[in-house]
């Protein structure tokens, strides 16, 4: 298991930008595929974005494609989620997640594919 900690969640207005950061052990960034999920009250946890171990491949949920960008910063030992054009529908607790990946090319999009989860950070978007 690896220790993950999200940060950056706060209240913003619709149309604003916000960056979430997930700090992880160095070995996590080097050997793990990473992802972001979110869960709104009364709803199931859903996939938001994922990045391969190498950082070369990414995948996004249709609801955020073109607005959110996931990236790795190995120097800072972080995986970030840059969000733009925020909408009220983006309101949720956002979770960072990691999964060991030997291939280096996989991007995981399902909850069951990840074994490691952070505590979550709250994002609230007002109209």
């Amino acid at each position: 298991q690896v220790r993950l900690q999200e940060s950056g969640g706060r209240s913003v207005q619709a149309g604003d930008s916000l960056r979430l950061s997930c700090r992880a052990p160095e070995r996590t960034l080097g050997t793990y595929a990473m992802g972001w999920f979110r869960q709104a009250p009364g709803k199931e946890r859903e996939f938001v974005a994922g990045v391969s171990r190498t950082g070369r491949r990414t995948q996004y949920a249709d609801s955020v494609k073109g607005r959110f960008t996931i990236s790795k910063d190995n120097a800072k030992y972080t995986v970030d989620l840059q969000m733009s054009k925020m909408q009220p529908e983006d309101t949720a607790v956002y979770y960072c997640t990691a999964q060991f990946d030997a291939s280096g090319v996989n991007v995981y999009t399902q909850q069951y594919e990840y074994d490691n989860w952070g505590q979550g950070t709250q994002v609230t978007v007002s109209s």
Side-chain angles (χ1 to χ4, degrees):
Q1 298 294 307
V2 296
R3 194 182 303 276
L4 304 173
Q5 184 173 352
E6 306 94 336
S7 64
R10 63 181 178 89
S11 296
V12 299
Q13 295 293 115
D16 285 355
S17 296
L18 185 65
R19 183 177 67 252
L20 303 181
S21 182
C22 175
R23 188 164 184 84
E26 183 176 356
R27 77 181 189 89
T28 299
L29 295 180
T31 60
Y32 285 70
M34 307 290 293
W36 287 92
F37 283 70
R38 67 186 182 186
Q39 186 169 21
K43 297 184 180 296
E44 297 181 2
R45 188 171 298 185
E46 64 176 354
F47 170 76
V48 176
V51 62
S52 65
R53 190 195 76 191
T54 64
R56 293 189 177 93
R57 292 177 175 269
T58 59
Q59 191 167 340
Y60 300 90
D62 290 340
S63 60
V64 306
K65 191 173 184 178
R67 298 189 298 118
F68 292 8
T69 301
I70 187 172
S71 63
K72 286 187 173 183
D73 189 335
N74 293 331
K76 295 166 59 179
Y77 312 114
T78 58
V79 174
D80 293 345
L81 183 68
Q82 178 64 51
M83 305 180 289
S84 64
K85 302 177 181 178
M86 301 291 291
Q87 304 171 4
E89 292 74 25
D90 295 323
T91 295
V93 176
Y94 284 70
Y95 297 90
C96 177
T97 185
Q99 176 62 41
F100 175 78
D101 181 53
S103 75
V105 301
N106 292 323
V107 177
Y108 302 108
T109 63
Q110 305 295 319
Q111 287 190 65
Y112 71 83
E113 295 178 307
Y114 288 96
D115 289 335
N116 306 279
W117 297 83
Q119 293 290 91
T121 185
Q122 177 70 50
V123 173
T124 301
V125 185
S126 300
S127 299

